[in-house]
Amino acid sequence: MRLIGISLALALLAQPPAVQADPGRRLAHYVHYRWSGGNEVPAPVLGMTQGRDGFIWLATAEGLFRFDGISFEPIRAGDAAGSEDPPTAVIAARNGDIWVTPRRSRRFLVYREGRLRVAAPAAPEWIMDLAEAGDGAIWALTASHSAEVLRVAGGRWQRFGAEHGVPRDDALSLLVAPDGTIWVSLCNSIIRMTPGAKRFSLVRETPRANGRLSLDPEGRVWLSERGGSYALTGPGGRGTPDRPGRPYATDDAQIRGAPMFDRSGNLWLATRYAGLERIATGAAPGAAPEHFRTSDGLSSDVTNRLFEDREGNIWIGTEKGLDRLRPSTLRFEPRLTAPAAFGDKLMVARDGSVYVGQARTLYRVRPGGDPVAILTDIREPQSLCEAPDGAIWVGFGTHILILQNGRVRRTFPRPEVRSIIYDCAFDAAGDFWISAAAGGLHRYRQGRWERMYGATRTDGFTPTTLVRDSTGRLVVQWSFNALAWLDGGTPTLRPIDFGNAERGVVTLHAGNQGDIYAAGAFGISRFHDGRIERRRAHPASDNSRINGMVQTHDGDTWLAYPKALVRMRSTDLARALTDPSFSPPVLALGAAEGLVSRPHSKSQLALVQGGDGRLWVATETGTMWMDPRHIVRNTLAPPVEITSIIANGDVFRDPASVTLAAGTPSIEIDFAALSFADPRRVAVRYRLDGFDKNWLDPGTRRQAFYTNLPPGQYRFRVIAANEAGIWNREGAAVAFEIPPTFVQSRWFLATCALVLLLLGWLLYRLRLAQVAGRIRSRLEERLGERERIARELHDTLLQSVQGLVLRFQSVANRMPPEEDGRAHLEAALRRADDVITEGRNRVQDLRVSDGSSDLPGLLKERAEGVGFDAAVHVRIVVEGRPRPVHPLVSVELGRIADEALFNIVSHARAGAVEIAIRFSRRELGVEICDDGVGMPADVCAAGRKPGHFGLVGMHERAARIGGTCSIESKPGMGAAVTITLPARLAYADHRSRRRLFPLPFSRNKDADHG
């Protein structure tokens, strides 16, 4: 619900957490809630306590449970003998341990760190009551006809029986007084053992009294027995009673559950068949208790245990369930429970009295008093107004009745209209006005009725709500669209802006300085100095309807909504009406504060303030009241606990840190926000650090679910705020880790990376093999083509030329020696022989398969054939084991060497030349270097000299055989030409199958030598 578009950021009241003593509070002034029936709650509830963590722990016939206000969580322990027995008693120790005693096994169990475990051996009999002493020892009372008291400490118990002063009788209750004294009540006596004593002593005989012990807020020990309830000691559990008098008249025979004093000093008693009893604090001696039974909503009249939690809630464990009572701010008034059909009529007189008109009775409530019936046996009062002389004018269906000083002064007929009276008012002249919607507007003056402004018309004139402003003018809702100011002349009309809301009857309130407020489902408008200021509800709905408004002398404005009474400062309301961006702080009182019934939907005046400051609210079930100066608020931030982590079927209860199984697919994290005043209005936010970017709101759900979390370390945090908006920002946290599976681990990633690298390397090697194969194939093709050309040249051209030469030689031989033509012919034949020799040399060059695999020898021949000067030292260096080189490769390397050596001879002016040949397993390298003048930088960078093609040819020849050629040179430091070829292309004996997948560290006969 959005209240007139204003954020419900609750204004907090500075009140202590404990509920303050309120002598005027009756048992009816508590908000009651119960858990009973079906599977909602385990029953019967036999014991209750609140742990240091904030949980309510319940010992029930169905086992041990802890309760967070929303769900009941069973606590089991498979490894603790007897833990599945129904527990008979439960207590929360100061160190946070929860002690519980099962009935059948009789062992002492303790809940600690998420587990229920055995703390001490089995007792002689089952345990009916537990208490903790100042030294941390647990005292237990056995249930038998010969009672025994046990002191449990250090994993064992010490027995106190008849030989220690404990009478042979049925024990009933046990407590530890503030001074450390152990008190025990039995059917016929009261005993105690003071600190340091070794045995119990008799305090008094109580024949057949069946007394139960309790402690009041000041530490007095009380006894509730058949004769009543009275104090046994003074404050602190010492001395004699300081408040003598007759016992409170509590039930004389049926007290069964332990009595209890709350922090306000009220005495509560659980009875066997009479439900709940309460003696209010400060009650007179001999006072009889108030009762709360199943007829009032209690889950069962068979009540077993009582408990007050840290927020001041009273818990009742019964045979059929669990009940909670909380002091309410809005108080139910037992007399005002017969509402009128259209809602109780409320009116405040000038003397501060509040008049309440119900279906059959008119009540008057004087300031500080209770409702008193002043008019009975009536039928549905329709309007209430106070005349200038203080008389009360009451409108009924047929007449008007005038009350003066609580007595009927006179009656007279009302106008003949076919409608109820919507409202009434007296104008500045003292005339009486009533509005009757379709029946029009009527004025009573000088003993007769006048119809004002004629009959209702088609223009919408249907007068309803009616008020008198601070200047004496009457203001009426003229129609569904407008208000009218009546000042003796023509009415002044001003529109009502309903926005998107349904048009209807509005609530009118007269403020100071002539202001008029109009409110409804649309929001609220103020008519001020001729201006209209408004604040719309977003969205407009039935829940945003305002049907009551009060402005107090303290500067507060109260608004009645269907689900809450809302308070804000009147100055904040004025600002909100003019500044749409302003959201004033407000206080909202709802069901948790006692508004158990909504303000009456048919009333336009559902809220008034009496002269004593109390607010009165007409609801659907009657009229309630509250004192704005005594608002019960919960100022305790709620404890937050992470109750469990559930993963892969494993439950980790109350975890601090958890390491889950590797690859856990889904996680459930259960948590609790432990505020019991109104658990459904507790706000919760949670966040998984490292995963959630923002805080998440689960609503009333108390679980968080995560799926497909990646491996890593996480921290889950929860914070919460109670119904009053007080946050526990520290909250609770749990760290957990999800280890990676093998496929999520770094080892797997490394393995995948290694496999990918290996696959890439294999593909690379395969590609190299394919390229080398294609190059080798092309080299073989070129070699075959060269040999074919060589054969063709030899078998055709050279043979033909040789034949021609022989024929010309035969001709020459027949010519005379002295003939000039013979000399010329023989010269031509010598030239032809040279051509044949040159041709044979070229044919031989084309046929490179013979003797060309010896690369060192080839290069030596080429170096010798260049014709270096004798002063130039030429050295050939062979690294590694020489291997035969592919013939075509040797040809190309020879050509490259020729060009490089020629350049040295022609340009380098070198003093030394070195030819280095490196035979390695992976490649063949040839380096030709000199110590000459070097090459110009621009030629070296460009890889060529303009107009010359020697360097370009070297690169092209190297690329043609699948190698690379690089030239390095610095001026004055010589030059170096390096040719490198892959082994698979260079060597004639290379076996590609072995070279494609070489094994590391394998022995290889082709290993390098150096």
Side-chain angles (χ1 to χ4, degrees):
M1 176 179 67
R2 295 189 57 180
L3 306 177
I4 65 170
I6 300 173
S7 169
L8 283 179
L10 303 180
L12 306 179
L13 300 179
Q15 294 188 10
V19 178
Q20 299 298 302
D22 185 355
R25 184 176 300 278
R26 296 191 289 268
L27 187 52
H29 298 160
Y30 285 78
V31 181
H32 173 241
Y33 193 88
R34 71 179 183 183
W35 294 264
S36 65
N39 297 322
E40 184 179 7
V41 59
V45 177
L46 306 174
M48 293 178 289
T49 189
Q50 186 171 30
R52 192 172 65 180
D53 54 9
F55 281 101
I56 301 294
W57 291 79
L58 304 175
T60 77
E62 299 178 27
L64 179 66
F65 290 79
R66 64 179 180 182
F67 181 48
D68 64 357
I70 295 179
S71 61
F72 296 88
E73 179 187 4
I75 303 298
R76 302 284 187 262
D79 59 345
S83 63
E84 301 302 324
D85 292 350
T88 57
V90 61
I91 186 175
R94 290 187 297 273
N95 66 357
D97 291 346
I98 304 298
W99 288 75
V100 61
T101 54
R103 184 183 184 102
R104 288 195 297 270
S105 68
R106 307 189 307 277
R107 289 178 180 256
F108 292 89
L109 305 180
V110 63
Y111 183 87
R112 182 189 304 134
E113 297 177 350
R115 292 182 56 201
L116 194 63
R117 63 195 78 193
V118 175
E125 297 289 342
W126 64 271
I127 303 300
M128 63 178 303
D129 208 353
L130 296 170
E132 183 185 18
D135 61 358
I138 300 298
W139 289 81
L141 186 62
T142 64
S144 69
H145 296 298
S146 181
E148 294 176 318
V149 182
L150 307 179
R151 181 182 184 273
V152 185
R156 61 180 59 191
W157 47 262
Q158 178 185 1
R159 172 182 167 277
F160 293 85
E163 66 275 20
H164 300 94
V166 179
R168 298 184 184 277
D169 195 359
D170 289 324
L172 297 177
S173 64
L174 166 74
L175 66 78
V176 180
D179 64 353
T181 299
I182 310 299
W183 289 75
V184 178
S185 70
L186 301 98
C187 287
N188 296 285
S189 62
I190 307 297
I191 61 174
R192 67 182 176 186
M193 185 169 67
T194 58
K198 302 298 182 181
R199 56 182 290 114
F200 284 86
S201 60
L202 180 67
V203 176
R204 67 171 60 184
E205 299 282 353
T206 56
R208 297 183 300 281
N210 297 328
R212 303 273 181 157
L213 299 169
S214 58
L215 282 173
D216 72 11
E218 296 179 351
R220 299 179 184 86
V221 178
W222 284 66
L223 181 66
S224 296
E225 43 108 331
R226 297 183 64 178
S229 297
Y230 51 89
L232 295 176
T233 71
R238 296 181 294 270
T240 58
D242 57 341
R243 297 178 181 177
R246 287 191 301 142
Y248 292 131
T250 51
D251 200 308
D252 66 350
Q254 298 184 34
I255 298 172
R256 183 59 64 92
M260 180 200 73
F261 281 90
D262 63 24
R263 287 191 289 271
S264 296
N266 302 301
L267 174 61
W268 301 78
L269 299 106
T271 70
R272 185 59 179 172
Y273 301 111
L276 182 66
E277 295 183 348
R278 174 182 178 268
I279 300 289
T281 181
E290 300 174 275
H291 292 270
F292 191 76
R293 300 186 174 93
T294 54
S295 58
D296 303 304
L298 192 66
S299 60
S300 172
D301 282 337
V302 181
T303 55
N304 300 316
R305 280 285 179 175
L306 299 170
F307 173 73
E308 182 184 23
D309 67 21
R310 64 188 59 173
E311 294 174 308
N313 302 299
I314 306 299
W315 297 85
I316 308 102
T318 76
E319 195 70 15
K320 293 184 178 180
L322 183 66
D323 294 73
R324 185 202 66 203
L325 292 174
R326 177 168 179 79
S328 62
T329 296
L330 285 122
R331 305 196 181 192
F332 173 77
E333 185 54 61
R335 297 181 183 88
L336 305 178
T337 56
F342 294 96
D344 289 348
K345 303 302 175 183
L346 304 181
M347 189 209 72
V348 181
R350 287 188 291 274
D351 66 355
S353 296
V354 175
Y355 288 83
V356 182
Q358 292 208 301
R360 294 290 179 180
T361 307
L362 178 65
Y363 292 91
R364 177 181 183 180
V365 186
R366 296 183 183 273
D370 293 326
V372 175
I374 58 174
L375 199 60
T376 58
D377 297 327
I378 59 176
R379 183 176 180 181
E380 296 288 347
Q382 297 180 0
S383 65
L384 291 174
C385 284
E386 184 182 23
D389 62 358
I392 306 301
W393 291 46
V394 186
F396 291 95
T398 58
H399 62 281
I400 305 296
L401 182 146
I402 302 176
L403 285 173
Q404 188 83 43
N405 297 323
R407 310 176 83 177
V408 177
R409 191 172 72 186
R410 70 185 182 97
T411 62
F412 59 92
R414 52 170 271 184
E416 292 291 337
V417 295
R418 293 172 297 176
S419 175
I420 64 170
I421 300 175
Y422 264 79
D423 218 335
C424 64
F426 282 87
D427 62 18
D431 295 333
F432 180 62
W433 294 66
I434 62 171
S435 58
L441 190 63
H442 300 262
R443 180 177 65 185
Y444 188 75
R445 170 184 282 184
Q446 297 179 357
R448 65 186 184 89
W449 288 102
E450 301 175 274
R451 190 182 190 102
M452 308 300 296
Y453 308 108
T456 55
R457 303 182 293 273
T458 57
D459 61 0
F461 174 53
T462 51
T464 50
T465 49
L466 179 66
V467 295
R468 175 178 169 178
D469 68 14
S470 60
T471 65
R473 295 179 300 175
L474 295 184
V475 182
V476 63
Q477 183 176 359
W478 185 266
S479 66
F480 286 156
N481 297 317
L483 298 183
W485 275 253
L486 311 180
D487 195 13
T490 302
T492 302
L493 270 62
R494 293 180 183 171
I496 303 173
D497 184 2
F498 284 90
N500 296 326
E502 182 181 356
R503 293 181 302 170
V505 180
V506 302
T507 292
L508 295 181
H509 173 75
N512 297 326
Q513 302 176 352
D515 293 348
I516 292 294
Y517 292 86
F522 62 89
I524 188 168
S525 298
R526 180 173 72 163
F527 297 83
H528 173 71
D529 290 339
R531 303 189 310 272
I532 303 176
E533 302 164 346
R534 62 181 61 86
R535 186 67 177 255
R536 290 193 176 94
H538 298 286
S541 67
D542 290 342
N543 288 333
S544 66
R545 179 172 179 258
I546 302 170
N547 65 345
M549 179 174 177
V550 165
Q551 291 186 306
T552 70
H553 296 297
D554 297 331
D556 291 331
T557 296
W558 289 85
L559 302 174
Y561 287 88
K563 293 184 177 181
L565 298 184
V566 175
R567 184 195 70 184
M568 69 189 74
R569 298 297 295 171
S570 298
T571 53
D572 288 341
L573 174 60
R575 179 181 171 186
L577 289 168
T578 58
D579 182 2
S581 63
F582 174 62
S583 294
V586 301
L587 171 71
L589 305 180
E593 289 75 30
L595 190 64
V596 294
S597 179
R598 62 176 179 166
H600 205 288
S601 58
K602 302 297 183 181
S603 174
Q604 310 308 318
L605 188 63
L607 185 65
V608 299
Q609 184 178 34
D612 55 5
R614 288 186 291 176
L615 296 178
W616 296 78
V617 188
T619 74
E620 296 284 352
T621 57
T623 296
M624 309 178 71
W625 63 270
M626 61 165 286
D627 189 341
R629 297 163 297 186
H630 298 287
I631 296 177
V632 179
R633 300 297 291 165
N634 180 12
T635 59
L636 290 176
V640 181
E641 292 292 328
I642 297 175
T643 59
S644 64
I645 293 180
I646 303 174
N648 297 324
D650 297 325
V651 179
F652 303 89
R653 199 182 299 278
D654 297 346
S657 63
V658 176
T659 299
L660 302 175
T664 297
S666 60
I667 299 173
E668 175 185 338
I669 304 176
D670 297 344
F671 50 86
L674 300 165
S675 178
F676 297 96
D678 191 358
R680 299 286 175 180
R681 286 171 56 192
V682 173
V684 177
R685 304 288 185 273
Y686 69 80
R687 176 177 178 175
L688 184 60
D689 292 343
F691 187 81
D692 294 325
K693 294 181 179 179
N694 302 306
W695 290 94
L696 303 179
D697 181 2
T700 58
R701 178 169 49 86
R702 295 297 181 259
Q703 299 92 23
F705 301 93
Y706 292 93
T707 58
N708 300 322
L709 286 176
Q713 295 181 343
Y714 297 91
R715 187 168 183 264
F716 180 81
R717 293 189 289 156
V718 187
I719 59 176
N722 66 10
E723 79 287 352
I726 300 177
W727 282 93
N728 177 352
R729 297 288 180 182
E730 181 178 355
V734 61
F736 64 91
E737 179 181 2
I738 303 177
T741 61
F742 175 71
V743 297
Q744 296 172 323
S745 67
R746 294 181 178 178
W747 285 107
F748 179 75
L749 296 177
T751 303
C752 290
L754 182 61
V755 170
L756 290 176
L757 288 174
L758 180 60
L759 289 175
W761 180 80
L762 292 175
L763 291 174
Y764 171 73
R765 298 287 293 183
L766 180 60
R767 178 60 178 166
L768 287 181
Q770 292 173 343
V771 171
R774 285 198 296 268
I775 293 175
R776 182 176 289 275
S777 176
R778 287 199 297 268
L779 289 176
E780 296 292 342
E781 291 174 0
R782 289 173 57 194
L783 182 58
E785 183 65 15
R786 288 168 68 102
E787 291 176 346
R788 186 189 66 78
I789 294 171
R791 286 193 302 270
E792 293 296 327
L793 289 175
H794 180 272
D795 295 341
T796 58
L797 181 60
L798 288 181
Q799 292 294 340
S800 298
V801 172
Q802 183 68 37
L804 287 175
V805 169
L806 291 175
R807 299 184 72 175
F808 279 109
Q809 184 65 50
S810 67
V811 173
N813 288 338
R814 288 194 291 270
M815 293 178 68
E818 64 276 4
E819 188 174 343
D820 292 338
R822 181 173 177 169
H824 290 292
L825 183 58
E826 288 181 347
L829 288 173
R830 287 194 295 273
R831 178 60 182 157
D833 288 338
D834 292 340
V835 170
I836 290 172
T837 300
E838 180 69 20
R840 285 174 176 168
N841 289 337
R842 291 293 177 262
V843 169
Q844 181 64 30
D845 287 342
L846 288 174
R847 298 180 69 87
V848 296
S849 59
D850 296 332
S852 61
S853 62
D854 182 11
L855 184 61
L858 174 65
L859 296 181
K860 182 178 180 181
E861 292 177 0
R862 297 300 174 95
E864 291 174 350
V866 172
F868 282 103
D869 190 271
V872 177
H873 177 66
V874 178
R875 188 166 70 105
I876 296 178
V877 179
V878 178
E879 299 178 6
R881 183 176 64 84
R883 296 174 61 181
V885 178
H886 193 281
L888 191 57
V889 171
S890 66
V891 171
E892 299 294 346
L893 290 177
R895 297 281 195 273
I896 296 171
D898 288 343
E899 182 65 28
L901 294 172
F902 176 78
N903 289 336
I904 295 173
V905 170
S906 303
H907 308 292
R909 300 195 294 275
V913 177
E914 180 178 285
I915 301 174
I917 306 170
R918 294 187 299 274
F919 292 96
S920 71
R921 187 177 60 178
R922 292 183 174 85
E923 64 182 17
L924 170 65
V926 177
E927 184 178 31
I928 304 172
C929 56
D930 66 82
D931 61 353
V933 297
M935 297 174 61
D938 57 340
V939 174
C940 188
R944 64 184 297 174
K945 184 177 182 179
H948 296 263
F949 302 96
L951 297 180
V952 174
M954 294 167 64
H955 286 284
E956 290 176 348
R957 288 181 182 277
R960 195 156 52 200
I961 58 177
T964 61
C965 177
S966 63
I967 302 174
E968 296 180 358
S969 178
K970 292 184 179 180
M973 299 180 64
V977 177
T978 304
I979 305 98
T980 305
L981 286 86
R984 63 178 61 85
L985 300 177
Y987 300 136
D989 62 350
H990 179 74
R991 290 181 294 275
S992 59
R993 182 174 57 187
R994 290 185 59 192
R995 293 289 186 253
L996 181 58
F997 304 110
L999 296 175
F1001 310 114
S1002 64
R1003 296 181 58 87
N1004 194 319
K1005 69 179 183 180
D1006 294 331
D1008 293 351
H1009 297 274

